[in-house]
């Protein structure tokens, strides 16, 4: 075998090898898949994204889009739309499929923030805005599950975020007085079935003594703060308490009783995760 | 001071009745009493407050008090006479006018109460024509503080709490327009092991007051460099005041109060806290009572827009609280106390710490306290 023949043979073998490699690492002919933009093929199940994710696609086109760049090149328009929507209701993302045999990889089609929901991918092979038998529609191609969120705490917040910065509204005593006691932290697993994820939610807070007089007094102080009332407004609240409830007001001012009940106040729920699967296991 | 020590048991035979539900029922709720007590104790302990002053003087008192003649009205058995927490002041049917008086007998119940009081009783009365009225409370002297105050029927305070441990407490005489009122009696927690009787008398008439002195006979020597030099006591207002010894000693004024002619001292309330209590600066002054003086009235005056000053009167010999002026108000502040003739008393003046609500911007603040003496009947 001459050197030239040997060289051609090597080139041919390399080409075959490359083609084989591409066939392993790319979609099959005339197809489209969602990817995580990392050069890895997706699992068979619909790919799941969080709202802060980026949606990419990979696949293969068998046709060319005429007139692009003055030459006909392998390529397509891709549409990502909510499942059930008209494929052409989305914004076309065009790309040229310059890989071997019309393959394309990790073409970005959606940037964060993503709206939660199930999406279809539509490959418009001829870039003509007409759905034909040559095109590819993948229903439910990927899911944006969002970041699973913990439920709201079961009661009022420690810090309601009012202008005065006051906390534990309605508790007897200024803000959250030392007479409040910490609630035992509780952790609960919460599912997000749509994204097949779960989060562990930890609730903390405190329990404080309360009384109608304390609640009215706190409301009065908060109204002062909201209206820009200063010392005399708050002094009026104090006097109103004394004139309604007498001596207990001075005890309430330091967080002591008498109480007519207890109120629980909660910190923002802290979460760990999200983690794959539901609380009960894999989906 | 002449005191008639009436045997407690004899008092019981005369008019002692079970106290109204104010002793316990108003406290019913999801927070049990034992936890509240534990919380209160923990908070007080954390603040470094104990009953050292109160406890140290218990031994000097016997379980008796000047009950005097039988009452015009006796607290009804089984009624909840707590006018603030679930009950209502007892209807006494008393009409007051110039020259009249009325006596109400009651009991601080055992085993009840809350963080503010061991028991609380109200007695309604009517003022038929405008008159000056003073409430005079007699009770068993002990480490426990008793209070008496007068409210309008709608609970508005007209005579702030007179508090004492001495067995007697008197509100400063106030002019009451025609209307309905109640006098309120309470005793400091914790719950009593056994009921304690008391007698409250309302006296109406041309009761003299204490006029402002023309000039002070003594000026405070404390300086801003040592604001705790005359503190004497720290006071936490937590329902009833919680009082403990502190740094400093009373300034000996040399003032002697011999009659209704006011004598006065002048001081400056500083703008920095010197103790973990309800006050910023505290100033104490020692005065002496004349041979015919059985009651003191202190008139505290200052010029400020946002300073709430209080007065307390302590027996110099044993430290017990004998009178308070703790109105939430601007100037003036009044305090009255039953005292013993020819005896030393410490008049304590404090500016309540109200910085949290935007007050006390006028500190440091000059004040003058005028002190008048009265006989046993004013």
């Amino acid at each position: 075998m001459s050197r030239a023949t040997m060289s051609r043979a090597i080139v041919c073998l390399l080409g075959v090898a490359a083609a084989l490699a591409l066939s392993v690492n790319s979609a099959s002919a005339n197809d489209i898949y969602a990817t995580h933009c990392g050069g890895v093929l997706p699992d068979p199940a619909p790919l799941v994204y969080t709202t802060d994710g980026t949606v990419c696609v990979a696949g293969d086109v068998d046709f060319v889009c005429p007139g692009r760049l003055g030459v006909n090149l392998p390529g397509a328009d891709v549409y990502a739309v909510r499942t059930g929507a008209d494929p052409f209701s989305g914004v076309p993302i065009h790309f040229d499929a310059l890989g071997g045999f019309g393959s394309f990889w990790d073409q970005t089609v959606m940037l964060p923030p993503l709206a939660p929901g199930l999406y279809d991918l539509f490959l418009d092979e001829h870039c003509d805005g007409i759905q034909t038998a040559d095109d590819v529609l993948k229903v439910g191609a990927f899911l944006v599950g969002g970041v699973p969120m913990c439920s709201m705490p079961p009661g009022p917040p420690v810090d309601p975020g009012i202008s005065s910065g006051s906390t534990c509204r309605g508790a007897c005593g200024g803000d959250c007085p030392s007479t409040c006691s910490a609630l035992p932290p509780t952790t609960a697993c919460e599912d997000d079935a749509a994204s097949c994820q779960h989060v562990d939610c930890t609730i903390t807070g405190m329990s404080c003594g309360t009384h109608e007089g304390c609640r009215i007094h706190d409301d009065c102080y908060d109204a002062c703060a909201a209206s820009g009332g200063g010392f005399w407004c708050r002094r009026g609240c104090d006097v109103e308490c004394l004139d309604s409830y007498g001596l207990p007001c001075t005890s309430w001012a330091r967080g002591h009783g008498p109480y007519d009940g207890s109120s629980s106040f909660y910190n923002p729920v802290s979460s760990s995760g999200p983690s794959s699967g539901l609380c009960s296991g894999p989906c | 001071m002449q005191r008639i020590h009436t045997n407690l048991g004899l008092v019981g035979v005369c008019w002692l009745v079970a106290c109204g539900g104010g002793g316990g029922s108003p406290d019913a709720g999801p927070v049990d009493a034992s936890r509240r007590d534990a919380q209160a104790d923990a908070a007080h302990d954390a603040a470094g407050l104990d009953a050292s002053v109160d406890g140290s003087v218990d031994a000097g008192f016997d379980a008796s008090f000047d009950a005097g003649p039988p009452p015009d009205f006796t607290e009804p058995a089984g009624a909840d006479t707590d006018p603030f927490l679930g009950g209502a002041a007892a209807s006494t049917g008393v009409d007051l006018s110039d020259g009249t008086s009325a006596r109400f007998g009651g009991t601080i119940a055992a085993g009840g109460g809350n963080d503010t009081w061991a028991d609380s009783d109200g007695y309604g009365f009517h003022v038929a024509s405008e008159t000056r009225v003073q409430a005079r409370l007699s009770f068993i002297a002990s480490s426990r503080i008793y209070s008496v105050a007068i409210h309008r029927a709608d609970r508005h305070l007209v005579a702030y709490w007179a508090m004492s441990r001495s067995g007697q407490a008197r509100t400063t005489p106030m002019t009451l327009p025609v209307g309905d009122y109640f006098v309120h009696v309470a005793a400091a927690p914790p719950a009593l092991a056994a009921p304690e009787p008391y007698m409250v008398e309302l006296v109406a008439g041309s009761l003299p007051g204490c006029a402002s002195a023309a000039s002070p006979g003594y000026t405070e020597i404390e300086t801003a460099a040592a604001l705790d030099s005359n503190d004497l006591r720290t006071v936490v207002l937590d329902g009833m005041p919680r009082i403990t010894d502190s740094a400093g000693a009373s300034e000996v004024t040399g003032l002697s109060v011999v009659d209704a002619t006011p004598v006065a001292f002048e001081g400056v309330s500083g703008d920095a806290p010197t103790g973990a209590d309800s006050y910023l600066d505290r100033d104490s002054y020692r005065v002496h009572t004349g041979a015919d003086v059985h009651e003191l009235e202190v008139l505290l005056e200052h010029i400020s827009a946002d300073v709430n000053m209080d007065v307390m009167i302590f027996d110099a010999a044993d430290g017990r609280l004998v009178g308070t002026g703790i109105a939430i108000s601007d100037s003036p502040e009044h305090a009255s106390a039953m005292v013993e003739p020819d005896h030393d008393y410490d008049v304590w003046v404090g500016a309540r710490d109200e910085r949290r609500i935007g007050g006390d911007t006028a500190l440091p603040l000059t004040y003058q306290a005028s002190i008048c003496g009265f006989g046993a009947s004013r």
Side-chain angles (χ1 to χ4, degrees):
Chain A
M1 184 181 291
S2 68
R3 291 179 66 92
T5 303
M6 184 173 291
S7 295
R8 283 196 295 273
I10 290 172
V11 169
C12 183
L13 286 172
L14 286 174
V16 171
L20 286 172
L22 285 173
S23 69
V24 170
N25 291 310
S26 66
S28 59
N30 206 26
D31 207 350
I32 185 168
Y33 295 93
T35 73
H36 277 305
C37 313
V40 178
L41 283 178
D43 294 330
L47 208 57
V48 176
Y49 299 87
T50 56
T51 54
D52 59 351
T54 298
V55 179
C56 291
V57 292
D60 181 271
V61 297
D62 290 343
F63 301 92
V64 294
C65 285
R68 302 273 174 168
L69 302 176
V71 292
N72 290 345
L73 293 174
D77 284 344
V78 171
Y79 295 81
V81 298
R82 289 290 184 87
T83 293
D86 179 354
F88 297 108
S89 63
V91 177
I93 307 295
H94 178 81
F95 55 84
D96 297 314
L98 300 179
F101 307 103
S103 298
F104 57 93
W105 302 274
D106 290 343
Q107 297 290 331
T108 301
V109 294
M110 289 176 69
L111 293 169
L114 307 179
L118 191 62
Y119 286 79
D120 298 344
L121 286 174
F122 181 68
L123 191 67
D124 181 9
E125 286 274 13
H126 301 287
C127 303
D128 56 3
I130 302 171
Q131 189 169 0
T132 68
D134 294 335
D135 300 329
V136 177
L137 174 64
K138 282 292 185 72
V139 176
F142 65 93
L143 177 72
V144 177
V147 177
M149 301 291 288
C150 293
S151 301
M152 294 295 289
V158 169
D159 182 359
I162 59 178
S163 59
S164 64
S166 297
T167 55
C168 289
R169 309 318 291 150
C172 294
D175 292 326
C176 306
S178 60
T179 49
C180 296
S181 54
L183 292 170
T186 59
T187 299
C189 180
E190 295 190 23
D191 284 332
D192 181 6
S195 66
C196 188
Q197 296 178 100
H198 70 273
V199 286
D200 292 317
C201 305
T202 302
I203 299 174
T204 60
M206 56 184 64
S207 177
C208 309
T210 183
H211 190 278
E212 177 187 53
C214 304
R215 296 188 290 274
I216 292 173
H217 185 262
D218 273 3
D219 287 345
C220 188
Y221 266 28
D222 293 346
C224 289
S227 65
F231 170 75
W232 289 109
C233 184
R234 294 185 178 91
R235 166 61 62 77
C237 300
D238 296 346
V239 171
E240 181 181 325
C241 183
L242 291 173
D243 282 343
S244 298
Y245 297 94
L247 205 50
C249 292
T250 64
S251 177
W252 291 334
R254 298 187 67 82
H256 293 138
Y259 308 128
D260 62 10
S262 61
S263 290
S264 294
F265 301 92
Y266 297 91
N267 297 308
V269 178
S270 61
S271 64
S272 62
S275 304
S276 297
L278 301 178
C279 299
S280 56
C283 298
Chain B
M1 179 176 67
Q2 183 183 11
R3 301 188 66 189
I4 303 171
H5 287 193
T6 306
N7 179 274
L8 182 57
L10 192 57
V11 171
V13 170
C14 293
W15 52 268
L16 178 62
V17 295
C19 186
S25 60
D27 306 327
V31 181
D32 65 88
S34 60
R35 189 169 72 83
R36 284 200 308 271
D37 289 344
Q39 288 177 335
D41 291 344
H44 300 150
D45 292 343
L49 303 170
D50 59 29
S52 59
V53 172
D54 292 342
S56 66
V57 295
D58 287 351
F61 300 99
D62 55 19
S64 61
F65 77 107
D66 183 0
D72 300 299
F73 178 86
T74 300
E75 181 187 12
D80 184 353
T81 55
D82 183 334
F84 295 102
L85 299 175
S91 298
T92 66
V94 165
D95 277 318
L96 283 182
S97 57
D98 268 352
T100 63
S101 65
R103 295 164 58 80
F104 306 139
T107 303
I108 298 298
N114 51 50
D115 285 354
T116 302
W117 48 51
D119 190 15
S120 155
D121 299 320
Y123 301 87
F125 63 95
H126 182 73
V127 172
S129 59
E130 182 170 290
T131 183
R132 283 172 66 77
V133 177
Q134 183 179 42
R136 301 173 176 177
L137 176 67
S138 299
F139 57 96
I140 297 172
S142 70
S143 61
R144 187 181 302 270
I145 292 175
Y146 274 66
S147 75
V148 61
I150 299 175
H151 300 252
R152 282 194 322 231
D154 65 0
R155 299 180 179 173
H156 176 81
L157 268 162
V158 292
Y160 270 76
W161 306 287
M163 296 177 171
S164 166
R165 295 196 302 108
S166 71
Q168 297 185 82
R170 291 189 172 190
T171 63
T172 298
M174 302 295 289
T175 299
L176 302 189
V178 173
D180 292 320
Y181 300 86
F182 65 84
V183 60
H184 180 242
V185 177
L192 273 70
E196 290 185 2
Y198 62 83
M199 182 76 76
V200 60
E201 181 178 23
L202 296 173
V203 178
S206 55
L207 301 164
C210 187
S212 178
S215 60
Y218 177 83
T219 300
E220 182 187 24
I221 59 174
E222 179 192 67
T223 65
L227 273 181
D228 61 355
S229 68
N230 61 6
D231 278 8
L232 186 66
R233 303 266 148 67
T234 55
V235 178
V236 175
L237 292 177
D238 187 357
M240 304 286 185
R242 299 180 181 275
I243 301 164
T244 191
D245 287 330
S246 70
S250 270
E251 296 188 12
V252 179
T253 66
L255 295 175
S256 186
V257 185
V258 297
D259 55 25
T261 304
V263 298
F265 58 77
E266 181 182 278
V268 175
S269 202
D271 60 354
T274 55
D277 65 353
S278 302
Y279 292 87
L280 293 169
D281 191 17
R282 292 155 291 274
D283 302 322
S284 297
Y285 305 86
R286 182 151 298 176
V287 299
H288 189 78
T289 55
D292 298 320
V293 171
H294 293 263
E295 182 179 356
L296 287 182
E297 181 175 335
V298 178
L299 171 66
L300 180 68
E301 299 170 291
H302 57 85
I303 301 173
S304 76
D306 65 355
V307 177
N308 178 14
M309 302 199 75
D310 290 339
V311 177
M312 297 201 180
I313 305 170
F314 298 98
D315 186 318
D318 54 25
R320 62 181 168 167
L321 178 71
V322 298
T324 54
I326 52 175
I328 289 187
S329 64
D330 204 349
S331 176
E333 181 76 68
H334 299 271
S336 293
M338 288 299 287
V339 295
E340 297 195 34
D342 193 23
H343 199 79
D344 285 337
Y345 288 89
D346 293 317
V347 178
W348 181 97
V349 176
R352 212 180 291 187
D353 187 352
E354 296 188 330
R355 294 171 297 174
R356 185 174 175 274
I357 62 170
D360 297 320
T361 62
L363 294 174
L365 176 69
T366 299
Y367 58 83
Q368 174 178 290
S370 301
I371 311 170
C372 303
F374 301 97
S377 60
R378 259 208 204 223

